[in-house]
Amino acid sequence: MQRIPSVLLVLIISALTSYGQVMIDNFDSTTPDSSWVHWLSVENPTVLTLTFNPTDKVEGTGSMNTFASLAALHQWGTFAQFGYTLPDSVAPWDWSLSDSLSIWLKVTQAPTHPEYMVFRIHIADRPDTSDPKEEWVYENVTILDNVTPGWVNLRVPLIDRVSTGTEIPDSTGFIMPPTGWSFTKNNQKFDRNKIIGWSIALVTSGWDPSNPLPADSIRVQFDQFERFGLRAVPFVVFNGRVFPPPVAPTSPWAWGQSSAIVEQGAGPVPNSNAIKWTQGNEWANGWTGWGVDVDPAFNLAGGWGKDSLKFKMKAQAGVGEMRAQFESGPVSARDGKRGYVFTPIADSTWHSYSFALRDFVDKDGAVNFDSSAVNAFGIMAEGTGIAGKIVYITELWTGNPDIDVIPPDAPTGLAASGASFVNLVTWNDVPNEPGVRYNVYFSDKPWTGTDDLAVEDLPPYNLPSSLATHLLRAPVTDQNVSLYYGVVAKDAAGNISTPTILSTPTTTMAKGVPTISMTPPSSFVADGNLSEWSGIAPFDLSVVSGTAHAVPNFPITDDADLHVKAYLAVDASNLYVAFDVDDDIVAADTAASATDYEQDCPDLFIGMYDWRGKHHNGYRRGVTPDYHLRFSKHRIRIDNDGGATVMLSTNPNYAWEEKILTSGYTVEAKIPFTELAAALVGKNDAVFVPVEGKRIPIDFSINDRDGNTTRSGIMCYSTLNNDDSYKDMFYWTYTWLGTKAVVGVEQTDHLPLSYSLSQNYPNPFN
């Protein structure tokens, strides 16, 4: 056998002092019991004997004597092996942050034929308890050759070698055994965070099969088996598709009136996504930003001195200085912050950025940063935020991560059933896919792919279980719908399976809901008297009747606390809006303020276009413009751009009036489509043309101050909206113009969409 000198053999007289040492086994047990070594494996007549040596040691109370007498049974190897395997009930070890192993050994009786004796370390991983174990092997061909003059420290790189199934183990790292060795496998990845066991093997191999050797033997002592060093583990914030774990599924969040969403297809290459950050300026000081929580906290210590933060960014002209920042410490305090200030190239073109982590410095007086426990990351405007400015960010990570691009298997067992305005869709979970999530699609026609324009998506996305619940909607009256359902699986890296689709439709009665009247209120006058609206059916918003709900931590007690009737109508040129609000305590500041949402006032979210197909992220402009309108005491504010645009502040077509005989207030507005389209300067929004049957994205949020200094209650219409609709059209529901479900045809039994009542699963942007 060819001899390869080991560059990893290091003779050390003093104790090992490498940073990040973690003991695997100190061999300090007085007997080779289950607390010392879990199992032995030999091939008869091979013999392996383990004894405790209390005097000759490197550390602790002793070392382990090993005597192996190995028969020459197989040309490919006869072994004597011992090791430890975790019980199934114990969580796997996480070795992901260690970059090396260290073991001390002392050969006291060398083998007779050292050229055929090799030393191996096996590491076993198992991603899931239902998986078979998978072993990775390191081999050193010289360490056992001679009686050593004392203890020798062998350091082993804890890296995985690429395998095609033919390479044999060597001393450069760990590798899966060749296919011919017939070892079990699972995902064929070195899962450093799922280690379930280790073993040490003494092996004779490689001799000439025509001239078998007699048995050989060796005596060797072992002590202080540990892992050490800090491996630079890449931290992926956004991989170009999604926020993968450990980024929290509730990400991203925003502050300072910014909004942040994941916009599908907005990345620099086809089929890639990007974080869309729309800047705000809530306090008129330019400080605003977005970020993500990290749970569990991520250990960046190994990479802090050697890695860089890398990302791609596209910023609009006028975007100024920014700060990228890592944070650590309790959520309530975040007493550790390290940031890097930079000025982006603001030319609406993609550019790549790279900043060394060691160049990040303490910020905002928070000096207790712990790089081993990063629990938040964000990007902010360094006092330069301009409301409405847009920045795109993608491929955001440290180091050089290996991005998973293999899609999961398609779900099986898909079924759908319906009753009482609801359809239930079920399927089987995809096995062996940690972190897998599911998205449901449907159409009123047979379909084959989710990119079909006739296919609808069903919120909420990223369902953690194999069940989706749909509430079916129809304009005004209850009507049958027939829908073809399908489901896809998505892994933690954002890879999507092929869809599983039902070939037969599910037919169920859909619930009739209020719509936008095609007949405007007669003799409209914005005076707070809503008598002219009597012939128009309102959207009745009540937590008591269940037509609306309160946002968690912003309670609405009952209809006396807050109850709203919202009226919507159109004519050829105008949108008409009215609110009849019952509110036991009315509190509205008369001063102009960007914090109108802290007062008693309703918000309307509306898309001025015929919406068919899938939901989209964020707010769109142009031919499909989305609007967030806030009706406060003296003005209508368009909140899309951080609340900078005000309409009708002194216009006779707008009124916000407190009631006299009862507690509450009324709102009336007549908004020309031309003025609405022109309100957001430079956005080139199309002027809406009302046609019966158009399906309109819509939602309501009603802010309730209740005499406090800030709002204390929020009531929402869409089941997905928990004070989220200001960020993203995804959270809205929909209605129609008039009584038809389709433009230009008579009403049929086939309606184009259903709406989910499922619990809102965090991180819908994925």
Side-chain angles (χ1 to χ4, degrees):
M1 173 180 290
Q2 183 180 5
R3 310 317 302 249
I4 304 175
S6 173
V7 298
L8 300 172
L9 182 59
V10 180
L11 293 174
I12 301 178
I13 299 175
S14 61
L16 186 64
T17 58
S18 298
Y19 182 58
Q21 292 172 254
V22 179
M23 187 67 69
I24 298 172
D25 202 317
N26 56 16
F27 302 116
D28 281 350
S29 175
T30 56
T31 57
D33 56 19
S34 60
S35 65
W36 182 17
V37 61
H38 189 74
W39 55 266
L40 305 172
S41 181
V42 296
E43 293 181 289
N44 289 330
T46 293
V47 175
L48 177 63
T49 304
L50 307 177
T51 57
F52 179 66
N53 189 327
T55 57
D56 192 1
K57 60 189 179 180
V58 174
E59 58 77 48
T61 60
S63 64
M64 183 177 71
N65 291 330
T66 302
F67 171 72
S69 176
L70 295 104
L73 299 179
H74 313 291
Q75 188 271 342
W76 45 264
T78 302
F79 66 90
Q81 190 171 6
F82 65 90
Y84 183 85
T85 301
L86 284 171
D88 290 341
S89 59
V90 177
W93 292 313
D94 186 350
W95 292 7
S96 58
L97 293 176
S98 299
D99 66 9
S100 301
L101 300 180
S102 168
I103 191 168
W104 289 83
L105 54 86
K106 180 179 180 181
V107 178
T108 57
Q109 176 190 319
T112 304
H113 297 279
E115 67 273 22
Y116 300 128
M117 183 77 73
V118 300
F119 172 79
R120 291 179 185 155
I121 298 176
H122 294 236
I123 297 175
D125 69 27
R126 186 167 58 201
D128 188 84
T129 55
S130 62
D131 295 328
K133 74 174 182 179
E134 182 172 270
E135 293 196 39
W136 295 73
V137 183
Y138 162 91
E139 181 178 291
N140 189 300
V141 299
T142 61
I143 194 68
L144 302 177
D145 286 0
N146 302 299
V147 172
T148 55
W151 285 96
V152 174
N153 177 230
L154 176 65
R155 297 191 182 190
V156 177
L158 193 57
I159 61 176
D160 50 318
R161 296 171 50 205
V162 176
S163 171
T164 63
T166 59
E167 296 85 356
I168 63 172
D170 64 22
S171 60
T172 62
F174 287 81
I175 195 168
M176 284 190 300
T179 304
W181 289 20
S182 301
F183 278 59
T184 59
K185 297 180 180 180
N186 47 62
N187 62 3
Q188 301 183 49
K189 296 179 181 179
F190 194 27
D191 296 297
R192 292 176 173 84
N193 63 334
K194 299 291 184 179
I195 304 300
I196 62 165
W198 58 268
S199 62
I200 291 173
L202 310 173
V203 186
T204 58
S205 67
W207 41 267
D208 185 352
S210 64
N211 184 26
L213 293 171
D216 205 345
S217 61
I218 185 172
R219 294 182 187 272
V220 58
Q221 294 171 237
F222 294 101
D223 202 2
Q224 198 172 346
F225 184 28
E226 61 188 354
R227 50 191 176 92
F228 72 96
L230 284 176
R231 178 172 169 262
V233 180
F235 173 36
V236 180
V237 180
F238 185 76
N239 64 12
R241 296 190 188 93
V242 298
F243 292 102
V247 175
T250 52
S251 300
W253 39 259
W255 56 275
Q257 221 167 23
S258 280
S259 67
I261 58 147
V262 173
E263 185 164 307
Q264 307 297 313
V269 297
N271 301 317
S272 66
N273 306 329
I275 306 159
K276 181 182 180 181
W277 170 28
T278 303
Q279 292 186 347
N281 193 9
E282 183 170 1
W283 306 291
N285 59 9
W287 288 93
T288 185
W290 68 275
V292 299
D293 291 321
V294 183
D295 187 18
F298 193 84
N299 192 329
L300 262 176
W304 199 260
K306 61 185 77 169
D307 280 348
S308 298
L309 175 69
K310 302 173 184 177
F311 56 90
K312 295 179 180 178
M313 177 179 284
K314 180 171 70 173
Q316 280 186 333
V319 171
E321 194 173 58
M322 299 179 187
R323 182 200 302 179
Q325 182 164 285
F326 295 91
E327 300 181 6
S328 68
V331 174
S332 59
R334 292 280 163 80
D335 58 352
K337 298 179 181 179
R338 282 193 183 169
Y340 185 92
V341 177
F342 67 100
T343 300
I345 303 171
D347 61 358
S348 296
T349 302
W350 284 105
H351 297 278
S352 296
Y353 298 82
S354 179
F355 308 128
L357 296 179
R358 62 178 176 271
D359 292 336
F360 283 62
V361 297
D362 291 336
K363 291 291 184 180
D364 304 332
V367 298
N368 296 318
F369 180 72
D370 182 356
S371 62
S372 69
V374 173
N375 56 15
F377 171 83
I379 295 179
M380 69 185 74
E382 187 86 348
T384 61
I386 301 174
K389 288 294 182 182
I390 296 175
V391 180
Y392 287 96
I393 306 103
T394 193
E395 297 178 23
L396 175 59
W397 53 60
T398 68
N400 297 286
D402 181 15
I403 304 297
D404 179 12
V405 296
I406 301 174
D409 294 335
T412 61
L414 179 63
S417 60
S420 301
F421 313 130
V422 172
N423 280 343
L424 295 178
V425 183
T426 60
W427 57 91
N428 297 327
D429 283 324
V430 175
N432 303 319
E433 274 292 351
V436 68
R437 294 291 184 263
Y438 304 95
N439 293 336
V440 177
Y441 298 85
F442 59 90
S443 176
D444 62 345
K445 300 177 178 63
W447 56 283
T448 58
T450 59
D451 56 350
D452 190 324
L453 295 179
V455 173
E456 311 280 357
D457 55 350
L458 185 72
Y461 306 150
N462 302 315
L463 295 169
S465 61
S466 52
L467 170 67
T469 307
H470 305 182
L471 172 66
L472 307 178
R473 300 167 64 88
V476 184
T477 61
D478 299 349
Q479 304 165 44
N480 274 334
V481 297
S482 295
L483 300 174
Y484 295 83
Y485 289 97
V487 62
V488 300
K490 180 165 62 175
D491 63 20
N495 300 301
I496 299 174
S497 73
T498 56
T500 300
I501 306 168
L502 293 178
S503 59
T504 57
T506 301
T507 301
T508 311
M509 186 70 70
K511 177 67 176 177
V513 298
T515 62
I516 301 172
S517 174
M518 293 291 292
T519 303
S522 60
S523 304
F524 174 84
V525 179
D527 58 2
N529 183 341
L530 304 187
S531 59
E532 68 265 41
W533 293 87
S534 61
I536 296 174
F539 296 80
D540 190 277
L541 309 181
S542 166
V543 296
V544 175
S545 65
T547 55
H549 67 278
V551 172
N553 301 318
F554 289 88
I556 304 297
T557 306
D558 51 31
D559 283 352
D561 187 12
L562 188 64
H563 177 215
V564 178
K565 292 182 179 179
Y567 300 84
L568 295 175
V570 296
D571 61 18
S573 303
N574 304 284
L575 171 67
Y576 297 83
V577 181
F579 294 94
D580 183 357
V581 181
D582 295 328
D583 188 352
D584 56 352
I585 302 175
V586 177
D589 193 343
T590 59
S593 171
T595 58
D596 289 335
Y597 59 88
E598 300 287 8
Q599 321 299 326
D600 280 318
C601 62
D603 285 11
L604 168 65
F605 307 88
I606 190 166
M608 304 307 293
Y609 53 93
D610 182 28
W611 174 52
R612 312 286 168 171
K614 300 170 185 66
H615 291 73
H616 55 257
N617 299 116
Y619 288 15
R620 287 188 176 175
R621 307 260 54 88
V623 297
T624 57
D626 298 308
Y627 297 95
H628 175 187
L629 304 176
R630 178 170 298 123
F631 299 87
S632 55
K633 188 164 187 177
H634 290 300
R635 57 198 159 270
I636 301 175
R637 187 181 298 278
I638 299 182
D639 204 48
N640 299 41
D641 58 352
T645 303
V646 175
M647 297 181 63
L648 306 183
S649 59
T650 59
N651 194 298
N653 286 327
Y654 180 63
W656 190 107
E657 300 289 340
E658 190 166 351
K659 293 180 180 180
I660 298 175
L661 299 179
T662 59
S663 181
Y665 61 93
T666 60
V667 175
E668 284 189 286
K670 176 182 176 182
I671 307 173
F673 294 135
T674 53
E675 291 188 24
L676 187 59
L680 296 176
V681 178
K683 302 301 183 182
N684 300 315
D685 287 351
V687 177
F688 183 66
V689 178
V691 178
E692 186 168 20
K694 282 189 174 182
R695 193 175 73 191
I696 305 298
I698 195 172
D699 196 15
F700 300 96
S701 285
I702 315 300
N703 304 294
D704 188 21
R705 184 169 172 175
D706 269 345
N708 298 304
T709 56
T710 60
R711 64 178 169 177
S712 59
I714 307 173
M715 185 167 67
C716 300
Y717 180 51
S718 168
T719 60
L720 294 179
N721 180 12
N722 281 313
D723 193 29
D724 301 299
S725 283
Y726 76 94
K727 307 182 219 179
D728 194 347
M729 177 264 184
F730 164 86
Y731 296 98
W732 306 1
T733 181
Y734 59 91
T735 188
W736 291 264
L737 288 184
T739 61
K740 295 180 180 179
V742 182
V743 175
V745 299
E746 293 300 319
Q747 180 63 58
T748 71
D749 284 345
H750 296 281
L751 301 180
L753 191 63
S754 68
Y755 188 72
S756 173
L757 276 178
S758 300
Q759 287 295 317
N760 183 16
Y761 185 69
N763 201 14
F765 312 107
N766 288 355

